[in-house]
Amino acid sequence: MNNLRKLTRRSIVAFAVLAIGAGAQAQPSSKPIRLVVPFGPGGVADLTARTVAQKMSESMGQPIVIDNKPGAGGVVASDTVAKAPADGLTMLLMSNGNAVSVGLFNKLPFDTVKDFAPVSMLGYFDMAVVTAANSKFKTMQDLLAYAKANPGKVNIGTINTGSTQHLAAELLKRSTGIDVQVIPFNGSPALITALRGGQVDAGVEILAPILGQLDGKALRAIATMGAKRSFALPDTPTVAESGVPGFNVASWNALAVPAKTPPEVVARLNKEANKALGSPDVKERLRTLGVEAAGSTPEQQAKVLKDEIKRWSDVIRQAGIPKQ
């Protein structure tokens, strides 16, 4: 947890410099690989991409250039890669946002399953249910018991309609049968302000933006949402441990390339990605971002994507979230 809170502006600059330096060390004749990231520079996903890309570049002797293309919930970046040549020189940083988009948008300019070839999962980052430090809800059991006894009187804040945090709160609502209102805010700062000011009873957020608040005792984590306890909050029980068996939600990142990329190219990228993720220094760097490194086979990644598409499409439909 202490490592995670060391993510400062200096850390961000260092990661970016390292990523650029990796390309400078590559063979001059090597064609660069473009890794398209559907988020702006400096965020958790961007730094995850840069960390893994640096190590892969060093091993492959080939520069990997980060191309940030935020916008439209990842659709812009994904469409760029879906339409790129299938030569292994363009990769996409996939996220659970790709799975969510299938259920959230009326129409996409690509097929999320058919137009991409999975390479490897990269890692997962935990989310937590949090309350204000002075809240009467000291545990997840407290929150659930009160919500069940007082239908409609509890509200849970999240960020942005259609975000994984928003949908995780909706899934929690349905998994427990509680009647609560889920309120999306425009970003983490607004959510934190609402929590501290008592405008919402609880919140659902990834750990990185709220750890400083937890450390400063302004907020309290009453449960994490993954299958196992978070390495950053080892003393905080999971939602599953708190009376909701089988509950498991986490954000994730992965690598993909355009469909029809030759299998031998996919296999090489998969090997290099997993090699990078197995490196102790990469694991430690990712942990400072709140990310648990987790490689996979292309087949395992494909299954995660299909399972997530079904899960979030069901949640979006059941919650009555309007399609965009």
Side-chain angles (χ1 to χ4, degrees):
M1 183 169 177
N2 288 333
N3 283 338
L4 189 55
R5 288 193 292 273
K6 292 178 182 177
L7 182 57
T8 62
R9 183 171 297 179
R10 184 177 298 174
S11 305
I12 293 172
V13 173
F15 280 124
V17 170
L18 286 170
I20 294 169
Q25 297 171 6
Q27 299 174 8
S29 60
S30 298
K31 291 183 178 180
I33 295 173
R34 179 172 59 147
L35 175 51
V36 182
V37 176
F39 305 95
V44 175
D46 173 69
L47 294 176
T48 296
R50 292 179 186 275
T51 300
V52 177
Q54 174 202 344
K55 184 62 69 170
M56 290 178 66
S57 179
E58 292 171 355
S59 177
M60 298 167 71
Q62 187 172 7
I64 299 179
V65 179
I66 304 299
D67 183 5
N68 297 97
K69 284 187 177 295
V75 173
V76 174
S78 299
D79 191 44
T80 298
V81 176
K83 293 176 171 57
D87 55 8
L89 296 179
T90 306
M91 295 192 294
L92 172 68
L93 183 78
M94 268 196 168
S95 74
N96 39 299
N98 287 94
V100 170
S101 293
V102 176
L104 192 61
F105 290 93
N106 281 310
K107 186 177 181 180
L108 294 171
F110 51 82
D111 186 303
T112 303
V113 174
K114 294 180 180 179
D115 288 343
F116 300 96
V119 173
S120 175
M121 298 298 297
L122 295 184
Y124 295 86
F125 39 106
D126 287 315
M127 291 186 284
V129 181
V130 297
T131 62
N134 60 359
S135 170
K136 62 185 176 184
F137 304 123
K138 309 298 184 186
T139 67
M140 191 70 194
Q141 289 93 333
D142 290 343
L143 179 66
L144 294 177
Y146 184 87
K148 288 177 180 178
N150 298 273
K153 292 188 177 180
V154 171
N155 48 49
I156 298 177
T158 69
I159 68 164
N160 307 334
T161 299
S163 66
T164 302
Q165 293 93 317
H166 176 214
L167 298 181
E170 291 286 357
L171 182 61
L172 178 65
K173 177 179 176 179
R174 277 150 187 77
S175 299
T176 57
I178 55 177
D179 178 9
V180 300
Q181 184 177 6
V182 177
I183 304 174
F185 288 85
N186 186 23
S188 300
L191 171 60
I192 291 170
T193 298
L195 279 164
R196 295 186 61 169
Q199 282 80 47
V200 291
D201 299 298
V204 172
E205 179 59 294
I206 62 172
L207 294 184
I210 59 173
L211 275 174
Q213 300 289 320
L214 297 176
D215 188 44
K217 309 300 182 184
L219 299 180
R220 175 192 295 112
I222 60 174
T224 53
M225 305 187 89
K228 61 181 181 180
R229 293 193 180 194
S230 170
F231 67 86
L233 298 172
D235 296 328
T236 302
T238 65
V239 170
E241 289 178 296
S242 303
V244 193
F247 193 90
N248 176 22
V249 177
S251 288
W252 52 267
N253 286 140
L255 292 178
V257 291
K260 299 183 181 179
T261 299
E264 61 272 18
V265 175
V266 174
R268 180 189 181 219
L269 292 171
N270 174 267
K271 177 182 176 182
E272 294 294 345
N274 279 276
K275 180 179 176 182
L277 292 167
S279 170
D281 60 325
V282 168
K283 287 182 178 180
E284 181 58 28
R285 288 177 191 172
L286 292 183
R287 282 201 164 206
T288 66
L289 303 174
V291 179
E292 189 73 40
S296 74
T297 65
E299 293 77 18
Q300 289 168 333
Q301 183 193 334
K303 185 178 187 307
V304 169
L305 180 61
K306 290 178 182 178
D307 289 348
E308 291 279 88
I309 287 173
K310 182 182 186 308
R311 170 159 66 167
W312 296 128
S313 294
D314 288 345
V315 171
I316 289 167
R317 184 179 63 256
Q318 293 164 5
I321 298 172
K323 289 200 172 189
Q324 301 177 20

